[in-house]
């Protein structure tokens, strides 16, 4: 009987981890690399960064709910879920890269905080192809959430046909019309207005066609300088784990007190 109870505890803990843990998910084309082409090493850690790209993207993926925009294909990355308290500081770096030009083919990328309870996304930034002015926030797209600070605050495109292997066969290409290039690394800081469980979401999408890829590099995802992905179990997981360990301890003490036949 005791073996059965212990097995039940172990099974409950295992199911609890599976149910509460929320691992990172990629739809489309995501990856990790170091300095490559116009994208220099990330300004943190060993210089590696993650990316999403429309090259090899999936139909209907990576777009925002924006009316009047023909969003075709793209990629989406959702981070591990993590807990945050009001006043905590979120930080990461991003670099928008595009081989598509302006006009009818203004691709874009974005990042958002997604509450795991199903609440609305908190848009941290949007970046969009444009030959002049700032790429962030992208024209015709949501603005920066309250509490977001960019460094540098000015985000013009560094023009040219960007060479970056994440763009696939479009690396080194530029569709006519201006707007091709990259932003360089931009720091993003955000102070949480509300505590809770969240995931970070990064998306990139083609607009008007599926040619001339765009991508987004991102790195250094931290809350209060602690890395997000794969570091701290969620509170629900910790609670279930401690409860299970407490039950196991109680059973062990009971066994010690049980009289021998």
């Amino acid at each position: 009987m005791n073996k059965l109870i212990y097995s039940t505890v172990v099974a409950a803990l295992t199911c609890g981890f599976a149910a509460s843990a929320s691992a990172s998910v990629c739809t489309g084309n995501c990856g990790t690399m170091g300095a490559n082409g116009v994208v220099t090493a990330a300004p943190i850690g060993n210089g590696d960064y993650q990316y999403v790209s429309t090259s090899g993207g999936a139909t209907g993926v990576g777009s925002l709910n924006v009316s009047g925009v023909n969003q075709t294909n793209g990629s989406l990355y959702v981070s591990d879920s993590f807990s945050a308290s009001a006043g905590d500081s979120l930080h990461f770096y991003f670099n928008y890269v595009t081989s598509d030009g302006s006009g009818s083919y203004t691709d874009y990328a974005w990042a958002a905080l997604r509450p795991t309870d199903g609440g609305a996304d908190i848009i941290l930034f949007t970046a969009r192809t444009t030959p002049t002015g700032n790429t962030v926030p992208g024209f015709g797209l949501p603005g920066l959430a309250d509490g977001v600070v960019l460094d540098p605050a000015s985000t013009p495109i560094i023009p040219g046909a960007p060479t970056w292997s994440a763009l696939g066969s479009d690396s080194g290409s530029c569709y006519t019309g201006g707007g091709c290039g990259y932003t360089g690394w931009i720091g993003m800081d955000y102070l949480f207005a509300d505590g809770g469980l969240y995931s970070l979401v990064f998306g990139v999408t083609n607009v008007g066609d599926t040619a001339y890829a765009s991508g987004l590099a991102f790195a250094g995802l931290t809350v209060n300088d602690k890395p997000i992905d794969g570091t701290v179990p969620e509170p629900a997981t910790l609670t279930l784990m401690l409860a299970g360990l407490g039950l196991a301890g109680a059973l062990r003490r009971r066994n010690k007190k049980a009289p021998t036949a």
Side-chain angles (χ1 to χ4, degrees):
M1 179 63 69
N2 288 337
K3 289 183 179 180
L4 177 60
I5 294 175
Y6 278 116
S7 297
T8 302
V9 172
V10 172
L13 286 171
T14 302
C15 291
F17 282 123
S20 61
S22 177
S24 59
V25 176
C26 168
T27 306
N29 178 14
C30 315
T32 302
M33 67 172 70
N36 182 276
V38 299
V39 181
T40 60
I44 192 169
N46 64 359
D48 286 351
Y49 55 84
Q50 295 169 272
Y51 69 85
V52 288
S53 176
T54 61
S55 174
T59 301
V61 172
S63 61
L64 293 168
N65 184 20
V66 181
S67 61
V69 179
N70 179 20
Q71 299 152 118
T72 55
N73 75 317
S75 298
L76 190 75
Y77 173 84
V78 182
S79 78
D80 292 354
S81 57
F82 59 92
S83 62
S85 300
D88 282 354
S89 177
L90 169 68
H91 179 76
F92 60 81
Y93 296 92
F94 68 92
N95 191 342
Y96 176 60
V97 187
T98 179
S99 67
D100 221 338
S102 58
S104 301
Y105 307 103
T106 46
D107 297 348
Y108 67 84
W110 56 280
L113 272 172
R114 179 165 294 171
T116 60
D117 64 2
D121 284 356
I122 301 169
I123 303 297
L124 300 174
F125 73 84
T126 56
R128 194 169 193 182
T129 301
T130 182
T132 60
N134 289 326
T135 61
V136 182
F139 67 90
L141 300 175
L144 305 180
D146 291 340
V148 170
V149 176
L150 300 181
D151 182 19
S154 179
T155 60
I157 203 78
I158 300 170
T163 301
W164 188 38
S165 63
L167 300 179
S169 61
D170 293 323
S171 177
S173 300
C174 176
Y175 182 78
T176 58
C180 302
Y182 63 103
T183 61
W185 288 107
I186 299 169
M188 196 294 316
D189 287 280
Y190 171 75
L191 292 179
F192 284 86
D194 300 297
L197 291 176
Y198 298 90
S199 290
L200 268 173
V201 184
F202 296 88
V204 63
T205 188
N206 264 317
V207 172
D209 61 8
T210 59
Y212 290 95
S214 297
L216 181 73
F218 53 95
L221 315 183
T222 62
V223 172
N224 294 342
D225 297 325
K226 295 181 179 179
I228 289 174
D229 284 353
T231 54
V232 182
E234 296 178 14
T237 302
L238 288 173
T239 301
L240 183 57
M241 180 176 67
L242 292 174
L245 291 176
L247 177 57
L251 290 172
R252 192 176 296 110
R253 289 192 297 271
R254 179 180 177 183
N255 287 341
K256 287 182 179 179
K257 293 179 181 179
T260 56

